[in-house]
Amino acid sequence: MKLDLDPTLVVRARELAARAGRPVVDLARAHTTVSVERAVLRLAGVAGADPDGIPWVNRLVDAVRADVGLGHGVAVPVFDALLREGIDDVTLLAQKASAGSVRFRVPEKQAGPRRAARKHVQAGLRRIDRRRAERERLVKRHGDAPRRPWIYLIVATGDIFEDIPQAQAAARAGADVIAVIRSTGQSLLDYVPEGATREGFAGTYATQENFRLMRAALDESSRELGRYVRLTNYASGLCMPEMAVLAGLERLDMMLNDSMYGILFRDINPIRTFVDQRFSRQVHARAGIVINTGEDNYLTTADAVEAAHTVTVSQLLNEYFAHEAGLADWQLGLGHAFEINPDLPESFRLELAHALLARELFPDAPLKWMPPTRHMTGDVFRGNLLDGFFNLVGAMTGQGILLVGMMTEAVVTPWLSDRDIALQNVRYVLGAAGGLHEDFVPAPGGFIQRRAHEVLASSIELLERIEAEGLLAAIADGTFGIMKRPADRGKGLDGVAKHEADYYNPAIS
């Protein structure tokens, strides 16, 4: 190991993360949310929306909730009603419930409704299994990206039909992963919009149809280029579980899915978030999707040197939550970023220390390396140079996923020409120094090793405090990203319900 980390300290850090995270997992196991229940019904086949654009799955869950609450789960009340109505179409039942012609109950005898619910939901899960197998076949047929890190590039026009040619052009220019940024504010919508969308705000709405259209377009690019091009979107916000299901059904390859991002940066209730993220990660695990976590965002609000240990702590917590939900190490795109003030003396060496620490703590995880944003000033020449140094750190420390930095960050939404220049920068650095991580070894006892040891020690101190006080209390105190988010506040809390003794969810039971 290049940093000569004390293995007993590494084990200690993981043990503390597990102890800090376990009460939150217990809390998640004992609760459900409106989005978890909607995700179950999407797996069972509910689709479409009413004339006002409200998804039928929302209408159905709201009707069940009004009659019997959420604590039993919606599966038994819904399939009990389906059997009583003598129909086999869950969407039709949703339409009837919306019209007020169906009432729901929790029957004393549940074997029949549970059997019917399991049959319908398992059909959805088998479809996700088929899409995962399809991905594996296509990677074998077309080949994978020829190198690591994978080059990850964002498109976001607001119009899916404009996003598609931009994404295909980016793939031809060397991008391995295309991320379609969501429209601003979608994470706070407690429903998933329907259909193909042609307008958004600083991004494109995440819908099942948009997922399908972009995946089909990148499959065309994969055939053309002779390598499988991956697709990314967002499983975050108030509809995290539903986004995970839709991603699995439409064969997305990566999803943004952080355990705390929605809490800190969208003021979504912590309990709602942890319940939703656990279910969504169980779906991602089954679908073979790589998650991307959001630690880079902490460094846009907190100082990247002073708060470096909070990134490491969050990575360790994200790893624990991911493993508990069934994700493997190869699915953990743990985030971190090149966000140290470039005017700080030895800033580049500090970046190397932080990036190499993440690489050595999580040797089997791909890691997602994020470019500078906070200290981009609008000087595009300086910005392009900073992005080059960012790319070099990625090469020197063996990062797995490299998000392409834009020299026009903080100026404009990138033009196609900006992306071309940014991709040239990445290709040059990776072509000239892509194997440098094999040769780069910090001096024993030198600046980089000392800084990495310091960050690890601070991480352990913080984890000890979190374990003693509780993770929810630490979040409330502003430990991460300096945002204070109490567990009894935030958006979406009214959509959380404690499990009753007979709670049933056929997707995880």
Side-chain angles (χ1 to χ4, degrees):
M1 302 291 279
K2 298 180 180 183
L3 291 175
D4 194 26
L5 299 175
D6 183 342
T8 60
L9 291 181
V10 174
V11 169
R12 170 77 173 153
R14 280 197 164 85
E15 289 174 346
L16 286 167
R19 290 209 291 268
R22 197 167 295 122
V24 171
V25 169
D26 292 340
L27 187 74
R29 284 178 176 271
H31 291 78
T32 188
T33 73
V34 287
S35 188
V36 168
E37 300 304 322
R38 293 194 301 253
V40 171
L41 294 180
R42 286 183 181 276
L43 285 168
V46 180
D50 69 12
D52 295 325
I54 304 301
W56 290 121
V57 72
N58 283 64
R59 295 292 194 195
L60 184 52
V61 168
D62 288 348
V64 174
R65 187 182 183 191
D67 284 349
V68 299
L70 283 181
H72 307 276
V74 299
V76 168
V78 163
F79 283 90
D80 170 67
L82 201 73
L83 293 172
R84 285 188 286 114
E85 291 289 317
I87 57 178
D88 197 42
D89 185 336
V90 194
T91 301
L92 176 59
L93 183 75
Q95 294 165 354
K96 290 166 73 72
S98 182
S101 61
V102 177
R103 300 304 298 269
F104 297 94
R105 65 178 188 175
V106 180
E108 289 185 12
K109 296 182 178 180
Q110 297 189 6
R114 287 189 177 212
R115 189 162 49 248
R118 190 163 52 250
K119 173 187 170 185
H120 281 74
V121 170
Q122 286 298 319
L125 291 170
R126 284 194 297 273
R127 183 177 167 194
I128 288 177
D129 294 341
R130 289 194 296 272
R131 300 315 300 268
R132 176 175 181 166
E134 182 181 34
R135 178 194 301 117
E136 292 167 357
R137 287 196 304 272
L138 289 173
V139 170
K140 280 186 178 180
R141 179 183 305 165
H142 300 309
D144 214 336
R147 72 190 120 55
R148 284 289 186 97
W150 286 335
I151 299 172
Y152 178 116
L153 189 136
I154 291 169
V155 299
T157 69
D159 181 345
I160 189 63
F161 296 103
E162 290 293 330
D163 289 342
I164 285 170
Q166 290 203 19
Q168 291 179 316
R172 292 188 192 100
D176 305 309
V177 182
I178 301 296
V180 183
I181 283 189
R182 287 192 305 185
S183 180
T184 298
Q186 185 177 352
S187 60
L188 299 181
L189 298 179
D190 213 344
Y191 69 95
V192 180
E194 284 285 325
T197 61
R198 304 210 65 166
E199 56 183 34
F201 305 93
T204 302
Y205 284 101
T207 73
Q208 184 171 6
E209 178 63 6
N210 285 349
F211 288 178
R212 186 192 68 80
L213 289 167
M214 184 60 81
R215 181 64 271 168
L218 293 181
D219 283 347
E220 291 179 10
S221 297
S222 299
R223 288 191 292 271
E224 172 192 336
L225 299 171
R227 58 181 168 85
Y228 184 73
V229 181
R230 285 172 169 80
L231 174 59
T232 302
N233 211 284
Y234 290 68
S236 58
L238 291 171
C239 294
M240 192 188 306
E242 294 171 87
M243 290 297 183
V245 166
L246 297 178
L249 293 172
E250 300 302 334
R251 193 173 30 90
L252 272 68
D253 308 286
M254 293 186 187
M255 292 295 278
L256 278 288
N257 184 267
D258 184 78
S259 63
M260 292 188 284
Y261 174 85
I263 301 169
L264 301 175
F265 298 99
R266 294 294 181 266
D267 194 20
I268 296 173
N269 174 261
I271 299 172
R272 171 72 179 265
T273 299
F274 283 119
V275 176
D276 282 348
Q277 70 92 21
R278 182 171 185 268
F279 182 89
S280 68
R281 289 184 176 192
Q282 290 174 312
V283 175
H284 290 325
R286 182 154 187 164
I289 287 172
V290 174
I291 66 166
N292 296 167
T293 62
E295 285 82 5
D296 54 286
N297 294 282
Y298 303 172
L299 305 184
T300 63
T301 54
D303 182 82
V305 176
E306 294 177 0
H309 63 297
T310 69
V311 170
T312 302
V313 168
S314 178
Q315 289 169 335
L316 288 161
L317 289 167
N318 258 312
E319 178 192 51
Y320 169 73
F321 290 135
H323 285 168
E324 191 279 331
L327 289 157
D329 283 336
W330 65 267
Q331 293 176 284
L332 306 186
L334 300 171
H336 56 144
F338 188 98
E339 290 285 17
I340 296 173
N341 185 343
D343 295 330
L344 186 71
E346 306 294 354
S347 64
F348 184 74
R349 296 169 81 193
L350 288 167
E351 295 283 14
L352 280 171
H354 297 174
L356 193 56
L357 175 61
R359 178 72 284 162
E360 296 213 347
L361 286 176
F362 309 101
D364 299 318
L367 300 185
K368 183 183 178 188
W369 181 227
M370 299 289 286
T373 59
R374 184 176 182 179
H375 298 288
M376 298 294 266
T377 62
D379 179 340
V380 295
F381 301 104
R382 178 179 183 269
N384 200 36
L385 178 62
L386 277 180
D387 286 335
F389 273 70
F390 156 76
N391 296 331
L392 184 58
V393 171
M396 293 176 71
T397 59
Q399 302 300 306
I401 304 164
L402 186 147
L403 195 147
V404 177
M406 294 292 154
M407 74 295 296
T408 48
E409 181 76 39
V411 183
V412 296
T413 299
W415 299 93
L416 288 176
S417 55
D418 299 336
R419 290 184 181 135
D420 286 343
I421 292 170
L423 283 166
Q424 287 175 15
N425 188 327
V426 175
R427 289 198 305 269
Y428 168 70
V429 172
L430 296 186
L436 193 55
H437 62 93
E438 297 178 5
D439 307 307
F440 169 58
V441 180
F447 179 92
I448 290 173
Q449 279 198 1
R450 293 197 308 273
R451 174 58 183 171
H453 292 187
E454 178 186 350
V455 173
L456 179 59
S458 297
S459 301
I460 290 172
E461 289 179 13
L462 178 55
L463 281 166
E464 288 171 340
R465 178 167 69 81
I466 292 172
E467 192 230 341
E469 298 176 3
L471 179 55
L472 292 178
I475 293 170
D477 289 343
T479 298
F480 301 97
I482 70 174
M483 304 293 185
K484 296 183 178 182
R485 304 300 191 201
D488 61 350
R489 303 284 295 277
K491 303 171 182 70
L493 178 59
D494 60 345
V496 180
K498 186 173 176 56
H499 288 176
E500 300 289 347
D502 62 350
Y503 176 79
Y504 180 63
N505 180 340
I508 58 176
S509 298

